[in-house]
Amino acid sequence: MAAAGHAGFPGGALCRQLLLTLAILTAACDACKTVTLHVPSKLDAEKFIGRVNLKECFKSANAIHSSDPDFQILEDGSVYTTNAILLSSEKRTFTISLANTENQEEKTVLVLLERQTKKRHSQEKVLRRSKRRWAPIPCSVPENSLGPFPLFLQQIQSDTAQNYTIYYSIRGPGVDREPLNLFYVERDTGNLFCTRPVDREQYESFELVAFATTPDGYTPELPLPLVIRIEDENDNYPIFTETTYIFAVSENCRIGTTVGQVCATDKDEPDTLHTRLKYSIIEQLPASPVVFSMHPTTGVITTSSSQLDREVFDKYQLKIKVQDMDGQYFGLQTTSACVINIVDVNDNLPTFTRSSYVTSVEENRIDVEILRVTVEDKDLINTANWRANFTILKGNENGNFKIVTDPKTNEGVLCVVKPLNYEEKQQVTLQIGAVNEAPYSGSSRSAMNMATVTVNVQNQDEGPECSPAVQTVRIKENAPVGTQSSGYKAYDPDTRSSSGIRYKKLNDPQGWVTINENSGSVTTFRSLDREAETIRNGMYNVTVLATDKDGRTCTGILGIILEDVNDNGPSIPKRQVIICKPVMSSAEIVAVDPDEPIHGPPFDFSLEQVPNSDVYRMWRLTKINDTAARLSYQNDPQFGQYTVPIRVTDRLGQSLVTQVNVVVCDCVTENDCNLRISPQTGNNRGIMLGKWAILAILLGIALLFCILFTLVCGASGAAKKPKVFPDDLAQQNLIVSNTEAPGDDRVCSTNGFSAHTVGSSAQGICGTMGSGVKGRGQETIEMVKGGHQTLESCRGAGQHHTLESCKGGGQHTLDSCRGGQVEVENCKYAHSEWYSFTQPRLGEESIRGHTLIKN
């Protein structure tokens, strides 16, 4: 059995070999190309194993796919492993699918992998023992290098050069992109060269890509990133950001106060000695004392002394320097200027040029300037530190004076704003002070400078004085006419007497009083009413003019205080209340009394009985408080409007009855109630019309007026266009008649005729012709000459109306069936004349006209 088993093993291997060969032959028949790659039995991940020329099978393939996930195919046909692979058999196959998704074409390439021989295995071991050379190598070029050029940088090599002929190439900025042709590589050796100097401030580094390819275009190595760094040279001076710096600092500031900061930039490589800067002050003007210092690293300028005084030096100029290489003597340096302005602070008080002043003013003068005082201030002119504010410290308790600042001169202007009285005071002493608008920040103990002003008051002959300006008297309202009371009193300020002063009433709004000319007493001229509309707070004001013997005057107010009497009963201001019956059963009634409170509430509310009224049956009153009561309905009244008389009585028994209109409405809120109800009945007296209903009524009225206007215009137009009949009227027109023989109608006529409709009249050439009169079944035509007729239509059944004959110049009337009249004026022709004129013409047409009418 062992022998058999041993003998059977080669047969199984042979069978598997045959099956693999058959599979390869089958795939080869379908593939457009077969490629054999010799590989070692062990392959690392991402290992390049060969290259397949795909364009021989499919030039326009846009989709490349491997049937074996352990292998990856690039667009140029390079084959890489995706995972570590151990070939257990000598051969392994997979296919590469090439497809074009636009035209739906697809082709395959068969790839056959064969294990290398022992010789290749030994070569691979030698390569693995050696260091791999196809790797990024640090490389740099000195900035602004002097050559010689081309300058050798380094050599790039591939390990595959031991087995293949390798050509080297590079791409990227500095080669085939700007700056062009700065670098190149020798194709066969891989030596990398630089062709000219490079400025690091323009190009800090170059990122190139190196390629290793075989003569037939295969790529045995992945593209190699290659970074060439430009080594910096200290070839740039540090530069200040400004040619002149301007800063400001307050005077008297503390030591260490920050003034400002200067800054410089350097284009050399950051974080190197080439860009490590140091700042310093070279010179200060004025040179003494030294009051500023500069931080060497930050460039911050600070004060080093507290002796900054704007009144001594208002500006300093500094010359500053910046140097790279951390300030070493061989570093590059640049200078700039710095101006520091000293800002003024209020460290000097305004000082009066004199300690005392004397001036004078006449009594009774106001709004007059009496003195100007000057001050001196060392602070900056026309600033808040220099402008002075003056104030009166003492002596102006009555408010007679005011002192202001002249903005142009900074002087203090003393004015009189309230008249002085010589009789009261002949001299006033004022103490004034001056400060600046800005708060004082100096070292002086006193924050205000002071001076004294003496004002002498000069006497003046003056008129009467109305003092106090408002005087009052008390008079009871409704006092009898002629009631007298003390009135207004003015006096002479020199003599303090009222003799010789006359009084006159200037304004008396109601004309209630008169004023005695000599004494100023007041007498009632009419009954005084405290509740009048012109009375405010129970006082009635009368303007009084007082005049002395020289005609000088003064004006005052006499306030008459009207003492209240209980002459008004309480009333209810709200005369109509609404009770929404579904949601409420009562309404609140509030009463007021125009009299004083002592004559007012508490009020007593009661219903006033009215003959033939059921007020007590339908309503009841319940007191809420001193001024209000609640009105409630009883016995379920109907919706409608009711008048309820309510009597309100004040605390002293004065009462008044107010008719309150109560609306009981089917509503939720008072605004929803639109009904207007008849009093006490509940029947609807009317309904409020909406805005659209009112608009419709107005439009209807306007339409009626338009129709009436059209009818009037039409009638006027017809009256203005009379139709004149020719002489052969009887031959050319039909005479409508309901009788076989000519009628008895008689009219006066001349050669001119005119016709018109019923109810109208028109003048002919020599007279008028009446209109036809229509009845039921009868018509006539009347002709009148030389006058005027009026005919009204008659519509009586079976009646026939004619005109009576007109004889002479009189006026005759014809009564119609309903009282209408036809008037014929001044008929001068007799019946015989009319008959002789019409008979020949009417005879020929009478029968034919009758026949036509019948038809």
Side-chain angles (χ1 to χ4, degrees):
M1 294 182 63
H6 180 74
F9 178 77
L14 179 62
C15 183
R16 288 195 296 273
Q17 184 70 25
L18 291 175
L19 291 175
L20 177 61
T21 304
L22 181 62
I24 293 173
L25 292 175
T26 304
C29 293
D30 296 334
C32 70
K33 183 178 180 180
T34 302
V35 178
T36 301
L37 300 176
H38 297 278
V39 297
S41 59
K42 185 178 180 181
L43 298 175
D44 296 329
E46 298 182 357
K47 173 71 176 179
F48 174 81
I49 61 175
R51 185 176 181 183
V52 180
N53 192 352
L54 302 178
K55 292 186 178 180
E56 293 180 359
C57 287
F58 211 158
K59 294 184 179 181
S60 58
N62 55 16
I64 303 173
H65 178 69
S66 173
S67 62
D68 193 335
D70 290 334
F71 299 93
Q72 178 185 9
I73 294 86
L74 302 183
E75 292 181 359
D76 62 349
S78 299
V79 182
Y80 290 86
T81 59
T82 57
N83 303 305
I85 301 173
L86 181 63
L87 295 178
S88 59
S89 61
E90 293 184 358
K91 293 184 179 180
R92 181 171 177 174
T93 61
F94 66 94
T95 59
I96 302 174
S97 299
L98 306 176
N100 190 325
T101 57
E102 295 179 358
N103 52 22
Q104 302 297 324
E105 291 186 60
E106 184 174 358
K107 292 183 180 181
T108 60
V109 176
L110 178 63
V111 179
L112 178 61
L113 301 179
E114 291 183 359
R115 285 192 300 181
Q116 295 176 340
T117 62
K118 292 183 179 180
K119 181 180 179 180
R120 287 187 175 271
H121 278 293
S122 62
Q123 291 177 350
E124 289 291 333
K125 291 179 181 179
V126 172
L127 290 176
R128 283 197 297 269
R129 287 196 298 268
S130 64
K131 182 179 180 181
R132 179 164 175 79
R133 293 179 293 177
W134 188 253
I137 302 173
C139 181
S140 63
V141 178
E143 180 184 15
N144 302 323
S145 174
L146 299 178
F149 296 104
L151 180 65
F152 175 77
L153 302 182
Q154 69 170 7
Q155 183 184 26
I156 55 175
Q157 287 185 328
S158 172
D159 297 335
T160 60
Q162 299 177 8
N163 301 324
Y164 308 99
T165 299
I166 300 298
Y167 292 159
Y168 300 98
S169 62
I170 57 175
R171 295 179 184 174
V175 182
D176 54 355
R177 286 185 287 171
E178 290 293 337
L180 296 174
N181 303 321
L182 180 61
F183 303 101
Y184 74 91
V185 66
E186 291 182 345
R187 186 186 69 170
D188 298 325
T189 63
N191 292 332
L192 182 64
F193 293 91
C194 178
T195 62
R196 58 183 182 271
V198 185
D199 186 3
R200 193 208 66 84
E201 285 70 46
Q202 188 175 5
Y203 303 103
E204 294 184 359
S205 63
F206 295 90
E207 295 182 0
L208 307 180
V209 180
F211 301 92
T213 59
T214 61
D216 59 355
Y218 291 157
T219 306
E221 298 283 4
L222 290 174
L224 177 65
L226 185 62
V227 178
I228 301 177
R229 190 177 63 86
I230 309 301
E231 295 180 359
D232 183 48
E233 180 187 12
N234 189 23
D235 58 341
N236 290 280
Y237 284 82
I239 300 175
F240 281 104
T241 56
E242 297 182 20
T243 56
T244 302
Y245 291 90
I246 299 177
F247 301 118
V249 64
S250 299
E251 62 176 330
N252 302 326
C253 62
R254 294 180 299 177
I255 296 176
T257 301
T258 299
V259 178
Q261 183 179 14
V262 299
C263 183
T265 59
D266 196 321
K267 294 183 179 179
D268 290 325
E269 186 174 0
D271 301 325
T272 64
L273 280 175
H274 299 163
T275 55
R276 191 173 298 174
L277 307 179
K278 284 291 182 68
Y279 300 90
S280 61
I281 298 176
I282 301 176
E283 184 181 5
Q284 172 187 303
L285 293 176
S288 179
V290 177
V291 291
F292 299 105
S293 62
M294 176 179 285
H295 193 281
T297 304
T298 62
V300 175
I301 302 175
T302 57
T303 58
S304 59
S305 173
S306 61
Q307 299 179 8
L308 289 175
D309 190 352
R310 191 206 65 85
E311 287 74 37
V312 178
F313 298 112
D314 62 349
K315 180 172 63 176
Y316 289 86
Q317 294 182 353
L318 304 179
K319 186 177 180 181
I320 56 178
K321 180 186 75 172
V322 61
Q323 189 171 20
D324 61 13
M325 300 300 291
D326 202 19
Q328 299 184 52
Y329 69 94
F330 51 82
L332 303 179
Q333 64 180 13
T334 305
T335 61
S336 182
C338 179
V339 177
I340 301 176
N341 296 314
I342 308 303
V343 179
D344 182 50
V345 297
N346 189 22
D347 57 344
N348 293 280
L349 289 173
T351 305
F352 288 101
T353 56
R354 296 169 56 184
S355 59
S356 62
Y357 301 86
V358 178
T359 185
S360 62
V361 63
E362 292 182 348
E363 65 173 335
N364 301 322
R365 295 286 302 275
I366 59 172
D367 296 331
V368 58
E369 176 185 324
I370 62 173
L371 181 65
R372 279 180 174 260
V373 295
T374 57
V375 292
E376 294 178 349
D377 198 318
K378 295 180 181 180
D379 290 321
L380 188 61
I381 296 176
N382 294 325
T383 63
N385 300 329
W386 175 80
R387 287 188 291 268
N389 281 340
F390 297 90
T391 183
I392 302 176
L393 302 176
K394 293 181 181 179
N396 193 33
E397 288 76 11
N398 295 328
N400 300 100
F401 302 94
K402 178 182 71 172
I403 188 168
V404 296
T405 304
D406 188 333
K408 296 181 179 180
T409 63
N410 205 34
E411 294 177 320
V413 181
L414 183 64
C415 304
V416 177
V417 295
K418 183 178 178 181
L420 296 167
N421 192 337
Y422 177 82
E423 287 72 25
E424 294 180 355
K425 206 167 189 180
Q426 291 78 35
Q427 189 181 75
V428 180
T429 301
L430 304 176
Q431 187 179 35
I432 59 175
V435 295
N436 292 121
E437 290 183 1
Y440 178 68
S441 59
S443 58
S444 176
R445 293 184 179 180
S446 175
M448 179 180 294
N449 189 254
M450 293 176 288
T452 302
V453 178
T454 301
V455 181
N456 295 316
V457 182
Q458 299 176 352
N459 189 22
Q460 185 184 28
D461 189 10
E462 50 195 340
E465 184 175 338
C466 295
S467 180
V470 178
Q471 302 177 19
T472 59
V473 295
R474 288 183 172 271
I475 302 177
K476 287 188 177 182
E477 67 169 331
N478 301 330
V481 175
T483 301
Q484 188 174 356
S485 178
S486 59
Y488 196 87
K489 291 293 183 180
Y491 62 92
D492 188 336
D494 294 330
T495 63
R496 310 302 297 176
S497 172
S498 300
S499 62
I501 297 179
R502 298 188 305 276
Y503 302 92
K504 180 182 178 181
K505 182 176 65 173
L506 287 182
N507 183 28
D508 181 5
Q510 299 292 335
W512 282 350
V513 297
T514 59
I515 293 182
N516 188 280
E517 182 180 8
N518 297 320
S519 64
S521 61
V522 61
T523 304
T524 59
F525 182 70
R526 292 186 178 89
S527 178
L528 307 181
D529 186 4
R530 182 184 172 279
E531 288 73 37
E533 294 182 356
T534 57
I535 303 301
R536 295 291 181 271
N537 299 322
M539 180 176 288
Y540 180 68
N541 294 326
V542 178
T543 306
V544 179
L545 177 69
T547 308
D548 64 4
K549 59 183 178 179
D550 296 327
R552 292 169 297 191
T553 63
C554 69
T555 303
I557 301 295
L558 177 62
I560 302 176
I561 300 175
L562 299 176
E563 297 180 353
D564 184 46
V565 296
N566 192 16
D567 57 344
N568 293 280
S571 62
I572 301 173
K574 188 176 181 181
R575 299 299 181 91
Q576 176 171 303
V577 295
I578 297 176
I579 299 177
C580 292
K581 191 174 180 182
V583 296
M584 55 193 297
S585 62
S586 62
E588 185 174 326
I589 305 297
V590 179
V592 296
D593 193 330
D595 291 327
E596 288 284 346
I598 59 172
H599 301 143
F603 299 142
D604 181 39
F605 295 85
S606 61
L607 295 173
E608 185 73 10
Q609 181 61 44
V610 179
N612 302 323
S613 174
D614 51 358
V615 173
Y616 287 106
R617 183 181 62 83
M618 295 184 62
W619 308 97
R620 73 171 182 271
L621 280 170
T622 305
K623 189 172 182 179
I624 299 176
N625 52 38
D626 289 347
T627 60
R630 188 175 304 280
L631 178 65
S632 307
Y633 61 77
Q634 304 179 112
N635 301 325
D636 192 18
Q638 297 180 0
F639 296 121
Q641 183 173 311
Y642 303 86
T643 301
V644 180
I646 300 176
R647 179 180 293 276
V648 185
T649 306
D650 62 18
R651 66 167 64 186
L652 298 181
Q654 187 75 14
S655 64
L656 182 66
V657 177
T658 303
Q659 302 291 333
V660 179
N661 189 19
V662 182
V663 178
V664 180
C665 186
D666 184 10
C667 59
V668 178
T669 63
E670 294 184 6
N671 294 331
D672 298 336
C673 185
N674 292 327
L675 293 178
R676 296 294 180 266
I677 310 302
S678 300
Q680 300 179 356
T681 62
N683 297 326
N684 291 341
R685 188 171 67 182
I687 298 177
M688 289 184 65
L689 296 177
K691 57 182 180 180
W692 296 111
I694 295 174
L695 180 61
I697 293 174
L698 294 177
L699 291 177
I701 294 173
L703 182 61
L704 291 177
F705 273 112
C706 291
I707 295 173
L708 180 60
F709 181 73
T710 303
L711 293 177
V712 172
C713 291
S716 300
K720 292 179 181 179
K721 297 180 180 180
K723 297 181 180 179
V724 180
F725 288 86
D727 292 340
D728 58 348
L729 174 67
Q731 296 180 5
Q732 297 182 8
N733 297 277
L734 296 178
I735 304 301
V736 182
S737 175
N738 289 333
T739 59
E740 293 292 334
D744 297 331
D745 303 334
R746 299 188 299 274
V747 295
C748 299
S749 175
T750 61
N751 293 334
F753 299 93
S754 63
H756 53 89
T757 59
V758 175
S760 64
S761 61
Q763 295 291 337
I765 298 175
C766 299
T768 61
M769 181 186 71
S771 64
V773 182
K774 283 189 177 183
R776 290 190 178 180
Q778 296 183 359
E779 288 184 348
T780 60
I781 294 178
E782 297 82 5
M783 299 181 185
V784 182
K785 176 187 177 183
H788 173 75
Q789 71 169 353
T790 302
L791 178 64
E792 296 182 359
S793 63
C794 303
R795 299 185 181 271
Q799 295 180 356
H800 176 68
H801 306 279
T802 62
L803 292 173
E804 295 180 356
S805 60
C806 302
K807 300 180 180 180
Q811 180 177 2
H812 306 274
T813 63
L814 174 64
D815 294 337
S816 65
C817 59
R818 292 189 180 181
Q821 294 183 352
V822 178
E823 297 179 359
V824 181
E825 297 179 358
N826 301 325
C827 296
K828 298 182 180 179
Y829 297 94
H831 177 265
S832 59
E833 293 176 293
W834 168 255
Y835 184 83
S836 62
F837 176 80
T838 60
Q839 189 63 31
R841 295 174 173 79
L842 297 178
E844 298 174 358
E845 301 294 335
S846 60
I847 299 176
R848 185 172 62 182
H850 180 70
T851 302
L852 291 174
I853 294 171
K854 289 292 185 178
N855 294 333

